[in-house]
Amino acid sequence: MQREQARQLGLRPNQLKTIEIRLDAVRDLAIRLHAEGHTSWAGVTTAHLESFLALTPARRASRLAGLRQFFAYVHRAKVVLHNPADPVTAVQRGFHGPTLTLAQQRTLYRRWATSRDIHPHEAFIGLAALLHAATVTELRLLTDSGINFHHQSVQFPGRSAALPLDNATWTALERCREHRRGLDSDNPHLLVTRLTRTHLSPAGAAHIRDSLACLGLLPRILRSTRLLTLADELDIKVLTASLGMSYAGVAHYRPGTTPPASFT
């Protein structure tokens, strides 16, 4: 029907493959909804569609096109009272990467805060990323000049303000300094390896990632977990200033954020 109407209006009709893809989207949604106990389209909400589209992020746009066309039709036919596809956008807003549950965070914190059997670099990298949203670059480049021993704080490169450390992270920092002394190194960086102990260069990014490899974790997952919490609790201007991030970087973790005039 759509193809015939397009021809009559002198428009280019959808290809058969496109129609097939859109029908597949509706079929797959119907199968999923039936498995969840739904017996009609009337109870379908936007949340149901978002959950379905999240299963295959790479196919979001093509599947959404099929769902929009279908629900526009059933809405006109008064099968549903409202069109649940109307608010859905082809581009996912906000951050949708992997993060840790609260239970996982607690398990990791206990490991890094209480165990003396693990490497000090693992403990400091893990705590600094999980509790203070430290980046790989900030961890690599932190030197003695950025550590305030009197106030028990650090100023990561690129941040405008010193960051007071909790006792667990400070203890891990001191263990890293002890490890460096054990290597008899003059390298001023906090995280010194056997490869960097004889010169003044920072450890490579691979060392930061490898320090958490035994847990199957990446530092960015720890950082993203913390940023989501901070973005939800703190004013966006405070975050941009304290973390040295751009407005766009912080807004990525706050769905629906609109730039204020001062940032445009």
Side-chain angles (χ1 to χ4, degrees), residues 16-17 24 27-28 50 59 120 161 187 205 207-210 218 235 252 263:
L16 292 177
K17 182 62 176 178
D24 285 348
R27 178 204 62 199
D28 292 345
E50 286 286 9
R59 299 169 59 192
N187 191 319
H207 174 71
I208 308 300
R209 293 191 296 267
D210 291 347
L218 290 172
D235 181 82
H252 180 56
F263 283 91

Side-chain angles (χ1 to χ4, degrees), residues 183 187 192-199 201:
L183 294 175
N187 191 319
V192 176
T193 70
R194 294 188 179 277
L195 294 176
T196 63
R197 70 183 183 88
T198 58
H199 51 81
S201 301

Side-chain angles (χ1 to χ4, degrees), residues 24-46:
D24 285 348
V26 178
R27 178 204 62 199
D28 292 345
L29 174 64
I31 292 173
R32 177 178 173 83
L33 292 172
H34 180 73
E36 294 177 352
H38 297 274
T39 57
S40 73
W41 294 111
V44 178
T45 66
T46 300

